[in-house]
Amino acid sequence: MTQPLYEVRDVSKSYGSVIALSGVSLKIHAGEVIGLVGDNGAGKSTLVKVLSGAHQPSEGTVILEGTERKWNSPHDALVAGVETLYQDSGLAPHLSVSANVFLGRERYVKGLLGKLGFLAQKEMDRVAHENLDRVGIAVPQSNRSVSQLSGGQRQAVAIGRAVSWASKVIILDEPTNHLGARQAGEVLSVIKAAKERGLGVIFISHTLPHVLQVTDRIVVLRLGKIVADAPTSTFDAESLLGTITGLID
Amino acid sequence: MSNLVNRAKSIAGNQQALLLLVLIAMIAFFTSRNSIFFSNAVFGNIISDWAPIVLIAIGETFVIISGGIDLSVGSTVAISGVVAAFSMRSLTEHGHGSTQTLIVGFFVSVATGILVGAINAFLITKTNVVPFIATLVTMGAGSGLAIVFTGGGPIGGGPDAAIQLSVPKVGPFSYPGLAIVALVIVLGFFLHKARFGRYIYAIGSNEFAARAAGINTKAYLAKIYILSGALAGMAGYYYYLRLGCGAPTSGLGGELQAIAAVVIGGAALSGGEGRISGTVLGALILTTVTSGLIIINVAANWKQVVVAILIAAAVLLQEARAKGSSSKLLSNLFKKKN
Amino acid sequence: MATLRHKAVKVLAVAVAASFAVAGISTPAQAANKYTIAFVMGAESDPFFQAMKLGAEQEAAAKGVTLVWQGDPSVYSPATQNPILDQVLALKPNGLVLIPTDPTALQAGHDKAIAAGIPVVNVDTHVNDTTKAVSFITGDNADGGAKAADTLAKAIGYKKGKTYKVVVGLTSATATTNVGRLNGFAAQIKKSYPGITIVDKAYSQSQPSVANTNVSNWLTKYPDLAGIFAIDGTNAAGAAAALQAKGLVGKIKLIGYDAYPANVDLIKKGVFTALIAQDPAAEARLAIDYLVATLDKDKAGIAKIKHDVVIPNVVLTAKSSAADLKKYTYVAK
Ligand SMILES: Nc1ncnc2c1ncn2[C@@H]1O[C@H](COP(=O)(O)OP(=O)(O)OP(=O)(O)O)[C@@H](O)[C@H]1O
Ligand SMILES: [Mg+2]
């Protein structure tokens, strides 16, 4: 088998006395979509934070393309090509769509003013629109403020932003939460498009049909431990639910 | 009629236009009560009150957009003016020329402001004290020290040329007043057109998102509290020029004036919102009310009432805008009148 | 090595002594001095009290008295003064000089001291019932206001039958000093200068910059203004700056109050026509003299004690002698 794109080995994380993750190992390959499922409090978001550099694991290693990495901040992971859409969206509602898409990656005008940090706003508006379009997300105007968008549109922008910047891995923590059926469908097609581009996708959701629909492999977390890691084809709705709740071991 | 409603709607959506209307209405009102109000001399008085207020209010705008608050600006005005006054008195006593002394005094004043800002920045970003408490501490310490240093009285004995610098030369503007206008414009560009401002909005809007996007939020927060301190230091120096002395009570309550100007200007105390032009107009409205009430013989206590009404109106408008219904609110008002 | 350690000990001793001095509560009953007299005053920050402190220190040194000087750093309020008074009484001073921040709230503490056998002098302000106090010594605010009216009338060349406009800059509508001075000023004008009208009044909340705004606008509003009475030090500073900025120095007569050094300098430059000064140092000196006489049971000294003493204000002008200007200038840093 080829070298995994992104990997964690024997990762543990505790918050004080709460052990959120213990001895978790996970691999993802380019062009693969992994579903990460588990009950509330199983440790999914904690694992996401370790993968995205928001938290450092108490124990264990993070390996990107065969090299061990230590993320000091989400920015480190970002620069290395690992994009994350956090549960409870990470957008700045007062900023425009394009300002959000380009947050932390602004483009500047040419010359001295650019050196002083003056922004090429028109260019960013245009490119943000193109990027969102490219990953299959239609947002009316990229200079509108995010607070004026509907919940679904906001989610779409957040996903679009993550997908359009990701060069290696994209992690989506409950991206279909609060979405209507149609928008959820759109998110799933964005995931498929990302897979086509050769990205590794980690998809966290409580909506099991969605997970079964788009993933190649499913990893089940229970009480901070991985209890199942198998191709999606080996699960059906019932067995997946049983594994999550612990009725099936 | 519907045309009028539409126009009213678009104005209600635009805080700056609304503030301009309020300002024009005030000028018209005061002038109608005493025509002497509409004179270069009175405008000169208004602008020379406005200059130091707008300085601290601009600093406060940056801070409030970032989701913080700076209660120490008034005290910083006092302490920096006093420290500058001591240094200028000492230089004058040692026979240094007036120009040289004034230049040194400016830098001493700004440096003192930066020092207070740096203490705020340290408390907020390194020891994680919330801005309200951190700046409350420096506010108390600053005004206390200003009184201890001076024994309560104004400190004079500096260069005689100081007061002359505060005299209007270009219309209602003194030369330092013009410099302040230029500075405000430059800061406006940095807030609205450059990365510095973009990140401050992002931090005030969603600090987690800003951090996740790789923004060094603490470094930016530190910068804005230092900026706010520096601007307060400039305001302290401006008061020195105006009074020819450094008084430990100059700038007293300045933080409330600054916050009032920012809120009237349309910023939200919860962060992420606000514009320099709004603050500029907010401060101008405050100082216009001050001079206007003196000119038309109304007790100064009414100023507080007028300011309270303006703040309430600004906040109501903001609520309405947040619900996307400012135009609805206004058209309802119009309907009731019909 | 030994000398080094010796030096270190000395430094330490000085540091400890200094910290006591900073704490302000020096231990009473020091061997050298026969009495300890405590001053419990309003607000340390006020130059008025700084000047009073200087007078007290001089007189205490001259009379061989240990001085305890206590008050809130900046707040003039019974809420902060009462606990300070209690603390000072716990030190059992031989005599007490009280500058009560409130006539009612400080009565109990005042009486408690007397009950403990400590003679009390009220200075500057007084408690409601001073019958048991040795004396009440104060500057006269109404007299100061009247003197300001006389000086201003003379400066504007007051003539019967002519009309003159003047304005008064105040700090607050309720501060007793402001009220006393304003009443004295207005009464004197009514009595002796009916042609003068007070056309405007405004409050500065102790801020020279606010006073400056008030006066600047008055100067525009009343092009024929004859004079300004600035009722205290901060108003004086603000008004002086406004006259200088508008180029009206000498044209509009300015009577200020309180001899802050910065203001005294401006007498010499002609910005102030006159400054009315109180003599807080004299109040303090007299209070100490009265207490020492009482404690010494010195019959001759006691005979000279008056129960109510009013120390008159002085009018400082460019014609005042340099010695007088120096004497009455409030000490400041
Ligand atoms: N910041 C924190 N401090 C303390 N405990 C935490 C913290 N974050 C998470 N936990 C605990 O760690 C465990 C795992 O939480 P986590 O958020 O990873 O669960 P999850 O699988 O994402 O759940 P959900 O489906 O509800 O999002 C839980 O017991 C949770 O209470
Ligand atoms: Mg979660």
Side-chain angles (χ1 to χ4, degrees), chain C residues 10 16-17 19 24 42 59 73 119 133 157 167 187 193 196 292 325:
Chain C
K10 249 190 182 167
V16 169
S19 64
E59 194 65 11
V167 289
Y193 315 106
I196 296 179
V292 170
L325 287 179

Side-chain angles (χ1 to χ4, degrees), chain A residues 45 87 173-174:
Chain A
S45 294
Q87 189 175 10
D173 193 355
E174 307 204 19

